Amino acid sequence: MTAATGSGQGLDVLDLWERSVRAHPARPALVTPHRVLAYAEADRLTDAWADSLAERGAAPGRLVGLAFGDPARTVLGMLAALKAGVGFTVLDDRLPAAARAALVRRTAAAVWLGDGDHAPEAAYVPDPAPGAPGPADDGTAGTRLRAGAGGSDVAYVLFTSGSTGQPKGTVVERDALGRFATAVAERLALTPDDRWLQVASLGFDVLIEEVFPAFAAGAAVVCREDTRALDAEELHVAMARSRTTVVELSTQYWLEYARWLETAGATTPQALRTVVVGGERMDPRPYRDWQDRQPAALAHVYGLTECTVSSTFYTGRLPADAGEVPLGTPLRDVEITVRRDGRPVPDGETGEIHIGGPLLARGFLDDDAATARRFVPDPYATAPGARVYVTGDLGRFDADGQLVFLGRTDDQIKIRGHRLEPARVERALCEAAGVGQAVVFPDPATGTVLWAFTVPADPAAAPLPGEAVRLTGADRDALVAPLEAQLPDWAVPRVLHRVAVLPKNPHGKIDKKLLAAWASGPTPAPPAHIPAEAQGPAHAPAPATAGTTQAAPPAQASATPAQAAALQGSGAGAPAPDGAGPGGALGITLGLFREVLGDPRLGPDDNFFDHGGQSLLAMRLLARLRESHSGAAGLRASALFASPTPRQLAAALTATSPGGTPAGR
């Protein structure tokens, strides 16, 4: 089945912006914690920025780089670049220095705007700064500034992970961006009364979806103060205070927010009407639970950077008997077919998802070979020269015409909303001294952490067959440190094991289920440095799976008097009321580390991030801690980075003043 809607030339993305400026000059375009910029004001400011870019050499066919630590300035920079007739690229401040430097070289941007620590040396902030008086409106804004820019000119270049060992820069043209903004605004029925909260990392293509459909509808984009990730409670408060109506969350982030709402006995803020969710396969159960309990509607999306962010939306109510959450139906100007061996298959049959239409990217930056492999001529299209993108995703159209995702044709995985070729990480691991083979895959329980299993090059260094030895200390650091220097945080394995061999299944592929079973193995004796009374239960509760929104049980969250006494190095006494004493705080914190990380062997001095912790699990840990200890009421994720062990975090809790804030916040 081919699903296709829309045809003809779309409006340029700046035509959409100017239409909103004319229709709603005094309405908010950008909402920040400190200031609201109306459409007319933002228009004049970005006119001035565009002039500054042109004076410094920005011209059609070139790129402008953006490296702000401030999301609002990033949004203004995107508009200014488009007004100057050039494309933009955004440098993610979370990338390691070497990776940032490589992207700066590859984009060869004519000008860099930015003020963050990650910004290239030549980056600058144009005048006027947001909030300062801008130039007067002389009636020539927009059209004059983008003279020479056409629909086939580049709008932006954003990078995705690639199997070649370096990220691939996807080149999206202005016509595709304008059509996309129009289609999303139409599908979500956006109006000038809407406010879309920007939460995606600034190097992620979801940023495009958070900004341009809102501007096309005359709605407001709500920006955070900085790029720091919001935990579930902070997200809830930010949406309530800013009267957010639309937000887009990765699947795992949404699950954490749903978990927090249930635990807190709360519902979504009154103004919030739609939560867009995508990035990973969705379990139907939490989707139905949300629809039964929460007033905000869900929109399940599917798309790829190479096809201009999102291609399909599912906005219906999930039937009780549905075994999958559908990916939905195509946006206007998107054509989707399911093919086998290059030929479309009948509805209901499984094949590889192919995406066509004018929203396809031009291709990959300076990589004609990769472009030719994935963007192929479409022999079934009626338009001459039509192309189709080969996604590598398996799917089918159900009886209602909804696209359903069924897995991958290759080994590519999704980790925390990002696509990753495991081979890229595996090759990097094998470059380390003493490593002969490696395999990488997401943890089976939550799918949010990468696990790595390595085979020593020297058989004498291998453990016994069937054993998986967890790497810690210097052994772990020797493998992780080089990866952290070249890969984004989400692509670095946090749990590493050494095995004698990578077992194969009957199909000749590495048996990842067996490796996971080896890793779980018999629970070893607890480390000797933890007093017996403080060991807690023999088995910690299993971590919640990616498909659950149930709150973690409160068992093992608080210490018994004996545990508290042992942790204090005393043979008697009980924790202070509400677990506020030093022993109680450590007992609670240690129990929650074990619970969230699913490892009953953890001790008071084990580092959260060295044992599989990452941002989403940090949200869960802090939420559970706030439920269990009064001193954690104001604790935020930054405290965990400063105090990553149970002992350090417990000390931060007990440093709480009677009416104050926990240390390490």
Side-chain angles (χ1 to χ4, degrees):
M1 171 180 177
T2 300
T5 51
S7 61
Q9 178 70 31
L11 289 174
D12 185 86
V13 64
L14 284 186
D15 291 331
L16 301 173
W17 167 260
E18 291 164 9
R19 184 178 64 188
S20 294
V21 172
R22 290 192 299 269
H24 314 289
R27 294 190 70 101
L30 274 178
V31 178
T32 77
H34 307 294
R35 182 172 177 81
V36 175
L37 282 175
Y39 267 92
E41 185 177 5
D43 190 49
R44 290 192 296 271
L45 187 148
T46 50
D47 282 351
W49 283 26
D51 279 336
S52 174
L53 292 173
E55 291 169 359
R56 292 179 180 240
R62 302 296 303 276
L63 287 176
V64 164
L66 304 173
F68 289 109
D70 176 2
R73 290 191 179 191
T74 301
V75 173
L76 293 169
M78 294 192 295
L79 275 172
L82 293 170
K83 285 188 172 188
V86 300
F88 61 83
T89 190
V90 182
L91 192 60
D92 191 338
D93 62 356
R94 302 174 308 166
L95 287 175
R100 294 199 304 267
L103 294 190
V104 170
R105 289 193 301 271
R106 289 179 60 195
T107 56
V111 186
W112 277 93
L113 302 182
D115 58 359
D117 293 338
H118 65 298
E121 189 173 338
Y124 78 105
V125 180
D127 291 326
D137 185 0
D138 60 5
T140 62
T143 303
R144 170 178 62 82
L145 291 168
R146 60 184 170 92
S152 61
D153 283 316
V154 61
Y156 64 84
V157 175
L158 291 179
F159 288 83
T160 64
S161 175
S163 59
T164 61
Q166 64 176 2
K168 292 181 289 189
T170 302
V171 182
V172 173
E173 298 176 349
R174 296 176 74 106
D175 181 56
L177 178 56
R179 289 173 181 268
F180 168 75
T182 300
V184 174
E186 175 185 86
R187 180 63 64 94
L188 294 179
L190 298 178
T191 74
D193 292 326
D194 277 307
R195 293 181 169 212
W196 194 317
L197 178 63
Q198 193 283 308
V199 295
S201 61
L202 299 184
F204 196 21
D205 68 344
V206 172
L207 171 68
I208 303 299
E209 188 157 79
E210 294 172 321
V211 171
F212 291 101
F215 287 161
V221 176
V222 180
C223 290
R224 299 162 291 154
E225 186 168 11
D226 52 36
T227 61
R228 179 177 61 90
L230 303 174
D231 68 25
E233 184 177 354
E234 290 174 310
L235 172 69
H236 186 78
V237 171
M239 291 191 296
R241 287 178 176 172
S242 62
R243 303 192 302 282
T244 290
T245 64
V246 181
V247 68
E248 183 160 358
L249 306 175
S250 70
T251 304
Q252 293 297 330
Y253 194 1
W254 170 74
L255 286 167
E256 289 300 321
Y257 180 49
R259 180 194 306 275
W260 180 86
L261 286 172
E262 183 172 351
T263 301
T267 57
T268 51
Q270 183 177 3
L272 187 68
R273 66 176 183 87
T274 301
V275 180
V276 182
V277 183
E280 297 173 64
R281 193 172 189 170
M282 173 69 72
D283 185 338
R285 185 170 58 82
Y287 203 87
R288 291 193 191 95
D289 288 346
W290 177 284
Q291 291 185 321
D292 289 340
R293 301 170 187 174
Q294 299 299 336
L298 292 175
H300 192 218
V301 297
Y302 164 76
L304 301 96
T305 305
E306 295 88 342
C307 305
T308 313
V309 196
S310 295
S311 297
T312 67
F313 277 66
Y314 176 72
T315 55
R317 186 165 184 85
L318 190 64
D321 60 349
E324 294 285 342
V325 180
L327 302 178
T329 56
L331 292 174
R332 179 151 61 96
D333 287 324
V334 174
E335 301 169 3
I336 292 185
T337 54
V338 176
R339 306 185 185 190
R340 190 182 305 126
D341 298 325
R343 298 179 179 178
V345 301
D347 290 357
E349 292 193 14
T350 299
E352 186 173 7
I353 299 171
H354 289 59
I355 302 178
L359 266 63
L360 288 192
R362 178 190 297 175
F364 299 118
L365 182 68
D366 299 328
D367 195 338
D368 294 339
T371 298
R373 284 195 303 271
R374 303 309 293 264
F375 296 86
V376 301
D378 187 1
Y380 298 97
T382 56
R387 302 173 304 151
V388 66
Y389 183 76
V390 183
T391 67
D393 292 330
L394 293 173
R396 63 178 175 83
F397 281 102
D398 66 16
D400 297 321
Q402 303 282 349
L403 184 65
V404 178
F405 175 75
L406 298 174
R408 288 286 303 175
T409 62
D410 55 23
D411 290 330
Q412 189 181 91
I413 59 176
K414 276 288 187 77
I415 188 78
R416 289 153 61 187
H418 300 272
R419 285 183 291 154
L420 176 69
E421 300 281 358
R424 179 184 176 197
V425 184
E426 292 161 359
R427 284 194 299 271
L429 282 168
C430 289
E431 292 174 359
V435 176
Q437 294 176 279
V439 66
V440 170
F441 55 91
D443 74 281
T446 70
T448 65
V449 181
L450 280 181
W451 282 10
F453 291 80
T454 63
V455 177
D458 180 3
L464 294 174
E467 289 185 354
V469 177
R470 179 80 170 259
L471 299 182
T472 59
D475 289 340
R476 179 186 179 279
D477 294 345
L479 296 181
V480 170
L483 300 182
E484 290 179 328
Q486 57 181 301
L487 298 174
D489 175 74
W490 50 266
V492 177
R494 297 299 173 186
V495 176
L496 295 91
H497 291 85
R498 182 180 293 133
V499 294
V501 65
L502 297 179
K504 302 293 179 65
N505 61 25
H507 303 288
K509 295 187 176 182
I510 294 174
D511 193 334
K512 297 171 184 175
K513 290 185 179 179
L514 183 55
L515 284 172
W518 289 357
S520 60
T523 301
H529 66 282
I530 307 178
E533 296 86 352
Q535 299 299 342
H539 296 280
T545 65
T548 181
T549 59
Q550 298 298 318
Q556 291 93 40
S558 58
T560 65
Q563 291 172 339
L567 285 165
Q568 292 181 52
S570 169
D578 199 25
L586 183 51
I588 290 169
T589 307
L590 177 59
L592 291 176
F593 267 61
R594 292 171 173 177
E595 173 190 314
V596 170
L597 295 175
D599 188 348
R601 300 164 292 186
L602 294 178
D605 298 306
D606 284 324
N607 188 298
F608 179 81
F609 300 100
D610 289 348
H611 289 268
Q614 36 76 13
S615 58
L616 288 169
L617 292 180
M619 291 180 189
R620 187 177 304 174
L621 176 66
L622 269 297
R624 292 286 290 116
L625 195 56
R626 285 195 289 268
E627 298 166 26
S628 308
H629 194 286
S630 60
L635 207 64
R636 292 294 176 256
S638 57
L640 191 56
F641 287 96
S643 306
T645 72
R647 194 184 306 279
Q648 291 170 338
L649 195 56
L653 291 178
T654 55
T656 306
S657 61
T661 301
R665 182 178 178 183

